[in-house]
Amino acid sequence: MGAIFAVVTGILFGLGVFQLLRRDLIKVAMGFFILFTAINLFLLAVGTFDGRVAPYVQPGTFERLEDAVPNGIPSDPLVQALILTAIVISFGSYALLLGMLNVVGKRKNSINADDLDDLKG
Amino acid sequence: MTDNALILGTIFTPFAAGIVCLALWGRNRAQRWVMLLAALLAMGFALALGAQALTSGTQIYRLGGWQPPYGITLVADGLTAAFLSAASIVGFAITLYTFGCKDKQMTRSAYAPTAMMQLTALYGTFLTGDIFTFFVFMELMVISSVILVATADDKLGIEAATKYLLISAMGTLFLLVGVGTSYAVFGSLNMADIAQKSAEAGALAGAAMVILACSFLLKSAAFPFHFWQPDFHTIAPTPIHALLSSVVVKVGVYGLIRLTTLLFPTLVAELRVILIVLGIIGIFFGSLTALRTFNVKRVLAYSTMGQIGFILISIGWGNTLALTAAILYSFNHALVKSGMLMMAGWLASQNKLKSSKIAQSQGLGYKMPLASALFFIGGLALAGIPPLNGFISKLAVVQGGIAASEGDVVQWLVLGLVIGGGILTLLYVTRLWQAIFQSPPNAQTAELKPAGAGDSLLAPALLIGGCVLLGVFAQPVVDIAQTIAVGLADTTPYITAVLGG
């Protein structure tokens, strides 16, 4: 499981960086989102060093933590909270980026990164 | 340790003001008053908090009452006090400048809420004691700065904002990777907890340190990551430019000081060398490019790069005197640079094209004694001429360098380069002053000069007046910076204050 996570995160990371370096700005935006997904997966993997089942605790009193969870050792719920926050933030920046690319495309009639070269000083 | 409500007050005053400004959509005057009051109140809270942190030790606030290291803890120690007071003073000055600013953007209803969110994020980054919350505030700051620059009067705003959003979002993404990595190593997000555990950390902690350092260097626009900064800062509307170029770049500096003194003090020996090298390159690259740039705002943006170089070198030296210098330099540079940038904005407002190109603003300030004097004093303070505050901070840097370079030839060479780089600042500042205030307007600029008055000079006058005062009565400020730097050497009080007994 850990190996699959590592491979998938690595592939997504590579895809994201590759797309970020493209000329087409829509592809750049896609790459940005893929990269964010890769990082979210990485955060999720960080939380599974002890166990992998959902951190759901049965009602009642228990001696050990393992007994309180129905199917074994729970994974760390903190990183899942972090991922929720990160998803909200990435959604916000992604929407902002696409909105700005929309304006750029209308003004310039192009979304090629090479055409955005008016800033020279 | 009891919770200090002033910490919450500092962050939530601008936040609440942003929401009130949203409710006041379309009522521009009311929005400006709300902004001014909120910034004034936040400045009061921040200064009171700083005074408390210096007199009675580190102040904390546990959100939701969770005992650290669980939950989010907001912490104000001496270092926070220094950066937060600079940020809140500049934050107040920019809301004051907004009153006298003639830009069309200031009359749009979206401006005030976004600017208030930016201040919230700025204060939050300095006050948080939790690296994930640091990331959240950083991302809030990126998004609000992007919106403010994209809606600038300049048509190129959207292009500058797109570039900045891509680069800066990458920076914060890597910050998130760093946060994740240090969580994997330490199992904690609390800075005090990480500091406690970092001494016996393995190789992965080094990876976390490198990723965090890279994203802080990107935020502070240090040399290899500088390319976004002049474009983005030049296009920004004047008040936002003043905030971005003086305090927002200091967030990266603050992060680096925290990294080298609190989080990973045992791992940063190589990082210190790299910081010194990058700082030297930054000083010369920034200052020499500023000499060959033909737009006043752009010259000052490149100048920020050079000035950040001095701070990076001081952090690299890392002894108590050099850290005193880094803190003093950050504080003084924030005041001087925001004042100078407001002067540049005032200059652009004197021009019908709203342009700050030197060719189009030659002689615009001819026979304007007040503005000329302010620009001259501000420029000298930036260059570090006594008795202004820039001199005090440069002197502190040199003292830190002497302390760091006992019997080491390479370090003496570095010190020589630092002093030489300081002289370059004088060159580009006097070049600007001569072109704008000392030469009579030529045919083109006489045509461009509008009859009406431009922006108000009140805010830059206050800031530059503050520079003179801090230069003449420097001793108390130097003492405070020294106390903070001595406190940085020992992390135990910080850890005890946050984690308890």
Side-chain angles (χ1 to χ4, degrees), chain A residues 13 17 20 25 28-29 32 35-36 39-40 42-43 46-47 49 76 78-79 81-83 85-86 89-90 92-93 96-101 103-104 107-108 115-121, chain B residues 132 135-136 139 142-144 146-147 150 154-163 165-166 169-170 173-174 176-181 183-184 187 189 231-232 235 292-295 298 357:
Chain A
F13 215 96
V17 171
L20 258 185
L25 285 174
V28 170
F32 175 68
L35 202 58
F36 232 119
I39 291 172
N40 286 340
F42 164 70
L43 283 180
V46 163
F49 50 81
D76 189 346
L78 179 72
V79 287
L82 298 191
I83 292 170
T85 318
I89 290 172
S90 71
S93 0
L96 184 62
L97 179 61
L98 286 180
M100 290 204 313
L101 289 185
V103 178
V104 168
R107 276 199 198 157
K108 292 241 155 200
D115 291 341
L116 261 78
D117 58 353
D118 291 330
L119 276 169
K120 279 173 189 161
Chain B
F132 188 76
F135 157 77
V136 172
E139 194 73 46
V142 169
I143 291 178
S144 49
V146 162
I147 294 172
D154 199 319
K155 279 222 160 218
L156 296 177
I158 194 93
E159 185 183 325
T162 311
K163 287 178 179 171
L165 179 57
L166 284 170
M170 280 297 290
L173 276 181
F174 276 92
L176 187 56
V177 176
V179 169
T181 316
Y183 186 75
L189 294 168
D231 283 354
F232 184 65
I235 301 296
R292 294 297 298 156
T293 305
F294 301 98
N295 181 327
R298 218 174 160 88
K357 287 196 176 119

Side-chain angles (χ1 to χ4, degrees), chain B residues 136-407:
Chain B
V136 172
F137 278 125
M138 199 88 119
E139 194 73 46
L140 179 60
M141 195 151 66
V142 169
I143 291 178
S144 49
S145 331
V146 162
I147 294 172
L148 286 167
V149 174
T151 54
D153 281 5
D154 199 319
K155 279 222 160 218
L156 296 177
I158 194 93
E159 185 183 325
T162 311
K163 287 178 179 171
Y164 175 70
L165 179 57
L166 284 170
I167 294 161
S168 195
M170 280 297 290
T172 35
L173 276 181
F174 276 92
L175 184 65
L176 187 56
V177 176
V179 169
T181 316
S182 46
Y183 186 75
V185 182
F186 302 109
S188 173
L189 294 168
N190 192 299
M191 287 190 197
D193 202 24
I194 293 176
Q196 199 179 25
K197 293 171 181 168
S198 76
E200 62 258 21
L204 198 55
M209 190 272 289
V210 169
I211 299 172
L212 289 177
C214 281
S215 79
F216 289 145
L217 282 172
L218 196 147
K219 288 290 153 191
S220 57
F223 164 66
F225 310 108
H226 65 279
F227 46 87
W228 56 272
Q229 189 245 21
D231 283 354
F232 184 65
H233 285 187
T234 311
I235 301 296
T238 309
I240 301 307
H241 186 185
L243 191 74
L244 286 174
S245 220
S246 66
V247 214
V248 172
V249 289
K250 298 285 170 16
V251 172
V253 170
Y254 168 81
L256 283 171
I257 297 183
R258 274 271 181 263
L259 200 67
T260 51
T261 59
L262 178 73
L263 290 178
F264 304 106
T266 49
L267 294 171
V268 291
E270 292 89 358
L271 180 67
R272 286 181 192 281
V273 180
I274 293 173
L275 282 182
I276 292 177
V277 174
L278 294 184
I280 296 241
I281 298 175
I283 291 176
F284 280 91
F285 190 91
S287 307
L288 290 173
T289 322
L291 268 178
R292 294 297 298 156
T293 305
F294 301 98
N295 181 327
V296 181
K297 278 186 164 186
R298 218 174 160 88
V299 168
L300 291 171
Y302 273 117
S303 147
T304 300
M305 222 173 105
Q307 308 288 323
I308 291 288
F310 288 101
I311 307 174
L312 290 187
I313 291 178
S314 309
I315 301 173
W317 280 328
N319 53 36
T320 307
L321 273 175
L323 282 177
T324 312
I327 293 163
L328 261 184
Y329 212 112
S330 306
F331 188 83
N332 285 338
H333 173 251
L335 298 191
V336 183
K337 188 44 76 63
S338 50
M340 284 300 279
L341 283 168
M342 287 176 190
M343 292 303 299
W346 168 85
L347 186 75
S349 74
Q350 299 291 314
N351 187 320
K352 264 184 194 158
L353 294 176
K354 302 282 175 202
S355 142
S356 56
K357 287 196 176 119
I358 294 179
Q360 286 164 349
S361 49
Q362 193 197 348
L364 272 182
Y366 193 59
K367 292 194 177 155
M368 288 191 181
L370 176 66
S372 173
L374 282 179
F375 197 92
F376 187 63
I377 295 173
L380 291 188
L382 197 61
I385 304 293
L388 300 160
N389 67 348
F391 172 70
I392 309 292
S393 39
K394 284 230 166 63
L395 184 70
V397 170
V398 173
Q399 277 179 338
I402 293 174
S405 54
E406 277 171 32

Side-chain angles (χ1 to χ4, degrees), chain B residues 89-90 93-94 334-336 338-339 342 458-468:
Chain B
I89 290 169
V90 175
I94 64 157
L335 298 191
V336 183
S338 50
M342 287 176 190
L458 177 63
L462 283 180
L463 284 169
I464 292 174
C467 295
V468 179

